[in-house]
Amino acid sequence: MSRPLNSDQFTLQFFQQRLALRVNKTVIYALALVTLLLFALMLWSLFVGSYQLSIAQVIATLTNPQPGSPSSDVIWLFRFPRTLAAILVGIMMALSGAVLQNITRNSLADPSLVGISQGAALAVVVAIIAFPDLDKSYRSVLAFAGSTSVAALIMLLSHSKHNHKPMRFILLGIALSAFLSAVTTAYLTYGQLYQASAALGWLAGNIDGVNWLDVKILCYSSLCLLPILLIQSRAMAVVRLGDTNAIALGVNLDWMKYSLVATSVALAATATSVVGPIGFIGLIAPHAARRVCTSGVMGHLLLSALIGGLLLLVADVLGRRLIAPSQLPAGVLTQIIGVPIFVYLLLRKKTLPSS
Amino acid sequence: MNTSTLVLKQSSKKYQWAMALLYCAVSVLFLAHLAIGAKALTIEQLLAAFSAFDRNNFDHIIIWNIRLPRALIAISVGASLAVAGAIMQGVTKNPLASPSILGLLAGAAFAIVVALGWFGIDSPLYTPWIAALGASSAALLVGFIAHAAPGGATPHNLTLAGAAVSAFLAAIVTVFQLSNEDDFDDLREWLSGSLAGNNIEVVIAIAPWMILAMLAAILLSNKITLLAMGDETAKGLGLSTTRLKIQLMLTVVMLTACSVAMAGPVGFIGLVIPHISRFFIGADYRKVIPFSALLGACFLLGVDIIARVVISPAEISTGIATAIIGAPIFVYLIKAKLA
């Protein structure tokens, strides 16, 4: 990089500049802080719940697991997978939202707002009610099919030769998601009560009841998708400059957009298939990260991901505590917290992050 | 006779024909709605049920207790939501304005859920007022957010604010549903917008308020046309726009609230019907309002018949049917009107 850097910035380069990362120190500090918070919260999440455990017990169980003892079972079978799932889903939703906001150049884009989550939701709810015997592992395939179709439909509909309005993507997404939720709600009336309850619990975004298999699914898919995202992040920086500039700089814009949308949808779909639609994390986390990391893509993505994981973990722990012994689904909490933030963003002067 | 009055005469003749046709359509669909269903009935049986009601005849009981209330609800809800949408689109000059998009339906539904879940109120004497409170609060909130947003109350901002408020209220309704599954199981169907399961008392208790609001809409309709020309023009023509807007808002809220109290949130009618009406008879709201009312009634009667026939003897929820028909039109409107 020939550009002179300020004293509070430095550049990391990998693979002969295929991956170059210019970061300022604030971002590094922020990353460190969020990571610390995340670990602290993980511990807290392990000993919060209806089965009382002391911190000493938690640490003893973690360092020396004894399968069969109640404290070990509570932690290793319930709380630990749940905590990891919350973090992973938060990370994936945040990244999905960040990518979507970048491509559409609209700060209000969020997978749960434009119908991507609702597409997954409809597919899974239909499966839960129409084929109650279907194995849970098919859900991710169905959710993926549902979200991809919705995303394709929005892209197709909002595509226009004359004027590409970022707003149109959102409005069409809202129309589609209203439609899909109407169908989902109405479809819920067909099933037996217990099936409908199961579907409703899933629809509310419930991290309760994940097992190690779910965590594995989340882990493997993040491991597949994150490198793809890192490779794309360089092009994302260019897409942020606007369509004309990106084309002038030699980006194959259409291909880039479709591949980025595919990554974003894949992230949201996998996360949704495991825990249900989680609203507004994809909206809040990238904005919070943008406050600290005002330019650049890589740092922003990393920070968004960590903040997303943190937020969803907080929502999950709060959901366990607020109306204990009953539990509030994390997805509902994120939605209740997310809407006021959405309104705040709507009220702010700037609606485009990069123009 | 100069040309302009001639044009007016011609268009009013077309309008009268269209209205006559719609009246016929409503009557035919009304009878069809009563006759078609899980148990098909003949016209003779229908007439007999009205002229010589026999308490021991099972068919007569079906008609009076199940089908008649349902058909009346379809007519009144369809007409009310269509008129509410027409007024909103006229006043705000916003092609996307409608009770569902701007959060009124969600607000009314939320208020009814709270009233039922917390206070156990489900009498049709109170539900319209509770729904009205919810709908007007939601409308005010959405309007306030959109006005405060940069650019003011544009269709974009109103739609986004409406979506946000609806999402928020829906999340809270989900919390109630999950925290008390037994009570809210009954609401499950109602929340999807259902015409089934009401008796004639509900119609009798709520219909008078609907009729009042409908009369108000028709009385105010000539002024809506002026308002739709722009606030400046309306003021120049001697209209007190603020007072008029408040009157119209109250009318819209009442129409929406009564519909929700009867059938739950039925989406898309208020958005789609006014557009079709204006397509056929132009922008004169003296005609758009009655035309929308009849068309809305026809639409919901027709949709409800289809919903009962397609997978007979089970039924598709009316909410699904209106959404399936309404969503493509909404997409078209965004593409065509906001381009």
Side-chain angles (χ1 to χ4, degrees):
Chain A
M1 286 233 153
S2 56
R3 206 175 139 185
L5 295 173
N6 299 336
S7 59
D8 60 341
Q9 290 182 326
F10 55 92
T11 311
L12 292 173
Q13 292 173 5
F14 311 96
F15 310 125
Q16 289 109 39
Q17 286 198 359
R18 274 179 109 42
L19 272 178
L21 183 62
R22 180 160 62 86
V23 277
N24 54 24
K25 285 177 183 159
T26 351
V27 176
I28 296 293
Y29 295 145
L31 281 174
L33 182 71
V34 176
T35 316
L36 261 179
L37 274 175
L38 202 55
F39 274 108
L41 207 71
M42 261 177 86
L43 271 182
W44 190 40
S45 159
L46 286 179
F47 82 95
V48 162
S50 45
Y51 186 83
Q52 298 288 336
L53 288 170
S54 68
I55 301 179
Q57 274 175 306
V58 170
I59 292 170
T61 320
L62 284 180
T63 50
N64 181 21
Q66 288 167 321
S69 77
S71 60
S72 179
D73 280 357
V74 163
I75 289 196
W76 285 97
L77 295 183
F78 298 111
R79 292 194 192 157
F80 208 18
R82 183 175 180 168
T83 307
L84 286 180
I87 296 174
L88 284 170
V89 168
I91 288 176
M92 292 167 94
M93 291 306 285
L95 285 176
S96 174
V99 173
L100 212 56
Q101 289 175 16
N102 255 319
I103 328 164
T104 59
R105 294 201 298 126
N106 188 317
S107 58
L108 300 175
D110 172 69
S112 70
L113 195 71
V114 299
I116 293 176
S117 300
Q118 281 81 356
L122 180 60
V124 172
V125 166
V126 167
I128 290 180
I129 288 177
F131 311 101
D133 303 327
L134 200 69
D135 194 65
K136 250 177 103 179
S137 53
Y138 286 105
R139 280 188 194 171
S140 45
V141 182
L142 285 169
F144 194 72
S147 337
T148 327
S149 340
V150 171
L153 197 59
I154 305 174
M155 290 292 275
L156 195 74
L157 289 171
S158 67
H159 187 75
S160 148
K161 281 190 178 115
H162 307 293
N163 50 349
H164 190 79
K165 281 191 176 174
M167 214 49 169
R168 224 155 93 160
F169 183 88
I170 304 291
L171 285 175
L172 281 166
I174 288 179
L176 272 176
S177 70
F179 164 66
L180 292 169
S181 359
V183 176
T184 310
T185 320
Y187 199 81
L188 280 178
T189 58
Y190 290 120
Q192 301 292 324
L193 177 57
Y194 69 94
Q195 290 164 359
S197 291
L200 198 63
W202 183 86
L203 269 181
N206 211 337
I207 308 180
D208 187 12
V210 293
N211 51 33
W212 280 107
L213 178 70
D214 296 328
V215 176
K216 267 184 200 159
I217 296 177
L218 288 173
C219 244
Y220 292 149
S221 42
S222 338
L223 283 180
C224 288
L225 292 167
L226 292 188
I228 301 181
L229 200 59
L230 287 183
I231 294 169
Q232 287 170 330
S233 70
R234 209 172 131 100
M236 253 165 77
V238 183
V239 174
R240 266 171 61 81
L241 297 174
D243 289 1
T244 339
N245 289 332
I247 292 170
L249 287 167
V251 171
N252 184 347
L253 195 66
D254 278 342
W255 192 85
M256 203 62 234
K257 276 194 175 167
Y258 288 123
S259 68
L260 279 172
V261 167
T263 320
S264 165
V265 169
L267 283 164
T270 328
T272 307
S273 69
V274 175
V275 297
I278 299 283
F280 291 96
I281 291 280
L283 180 81
I284 307 168
H287 277 284
R290 186 57 75 200
R291 280 287 157 96
V292 182
C293 177
T294 45
S295 65
V297 170
M298 271 280 273
H300 177 240
L301 281 181
L302 285 175
L303 199 56
S304 301
L306 288 179
I307 293 178
L310 187 71
L311 278 177
L312 193 54
L313 192 56
V314 170
D316 187 41
V317 174
L318 281 182
R320 266 185 269 173
R321 294 300 306 155
L322 280 183
I323 54 164
S326 313
Q327 303 202 343
L328 215 52
V332 171
L333 264 180
T334 57
Q335 195 156 348
I336 291 174
I337 302 166
V339 168
I341 297 180
F342 176 82
V343 169
Y344 163 74
L345 291 172
L346 191 62
L347 295 182
R348 257 182 1 160
K349 277 270 169 279
K350 255 171 56 173
T351 48
L352 298 179
S354 66
S355 62
Chain B
M1 189 184 287
N2 61 28
T3 344
S4 62
T5 47
L6 194 68
V7 170
L8 213 64
K9 273 266 164 66
Q10 270 175 348
S11 72
S12 81
K13 197 154 205 179
K14 184 180 153 198
Y15 166 69
Q16 280 160 2
W17 274 107
M19 286 297 280
L21 201 68
L22 274 179
Y23 270 119
C24 293
V26 170
S27 336
V28 170
L29 283 169
F30 178 67
L31 287 177
H33 192 280
L34 292 180
I36 295 169
K39 185 176 193 310
L41 299 171
T42 62
I43 298 293
E44 287 86 48
Q45 284 171 308
L46 274 183
L47 293 178
F50 286 105
S51 57
F53 176 65
D54 180 2
R55 190 181 297 275
N56 298 319
N57 188 331
F58 186 60
D59 295 339
H60 293 191
I61 303 278
I62 292 183
I63 290 180
W64 276 95
N65 286 3
I66 300 173
R67 301 228 179 126
L68 185 65
R70 187 163 175 166
L72 289 176
I73 287 175
I75 292 179
S76 37
V77 168
S80 300
L81 287 176
V83 169
I87 296 177
M88 288 170 86
Q89 287 170 17
V91 173
T92 59
K93 297 174 280 296
N94 175 347
L96 294 180
S98 70
S100 54
I101 303 290
L102 298 192
L104 271 79
L105 285 183
F110 173 75
I112 288 185
V113 168
V114 169
L116 181 63
W118 283 0
F119 307 108
I121 302 170
D122 62 349
S123 156
L125 290 178
Y126 303 117
T127 43
W129 304 106
I130 295 164
L133 188 68
S136 49
S137 319
L140 285 176
L141 188 60
V142 169
F144 174 75
I145 293 172
H147 267 289
T154 58
H156 290 143
N157 284 340
L158 279 167
T159 310
L160 290 170
V165 170
S166 300
F168 189 69
L169 295 174
I172 297 177
V173 168
T174 311
V175 174
F176 291 154
Q177 272 183 308
L178 287 167
S179 59
N180 192 346
E181 279 175 8
D182 294 338
D183 283 1
F184 287 106
D185 184 46
D186 303 337
L187 286 176
R188 198 155 55 112
E189 199 179 342
W190 180 81
L191 277 173
S192 74
S194 165
L195 303 181
N198 274 317
N199 53 27
I200 198 83
E201 278 87 50
V202 174
V203 182
I204 293 172
I206 300 176
W209 305 115
M210 260 175 169
I211 295 172
L212 263 181
M214 198 67 87
L215 283 177
I218 291 172
L219 285 177
L220 294 170
S221 60
N222 58 341
K223 293 178 184 160
I224 304 175
T225 315
L226 296 183
L227 211 53
M229 291 174 178
D231 281 13
E232 294 302 312
T233 318
K235 272 184 198 148
L237 289 168
L239 218 57
S240 161
T241 50
T242 317
R243 212 180 80 196
L244 180 62
K245 278 182 179 169
I246 293 172
Q247 289 168 339
L248 286 170
M249 156 114 185
L250 288 177
T251 313
V252 166
V253 163
M254 212 50 227
L255 286 169
T256 311
C258 290
S259 310
V260 175
M262 272 188 186
V266 180
F268 292 106
I269 293 181
L271 176 75
V272 171
I273 299 295
H275 279 284
I276 302 177
S277 305
R278 278 198 305 269
F279 176 76
F280 281 117
I281 52 165
D284 185 350
Y285 278 84
R286 280 175 302 177
K287 295 172 185 171
V288 170
I289 299 275
F291 192 90
S292 296
L294 288 182
L295 195 62
C298 270
F299 178 76
L300 200 51
L301 273 174
V303 164
D304 198 39
I305 293 174
I306 295 171
R308 288 189 302 163
V309 171
V310 174
I311 52 167
S312 169
E315 298 178 354
I316 301 181
S317 165
T318 319
I320 291 193
T322 54
I324 288 175
I325 300 171
I329 303 181
F330 185 41
V331 168
Y332 163 76
L333 288 175
I334 292 176
K335 281 192 81 97
K337 303 267 173 179
L338 295 182

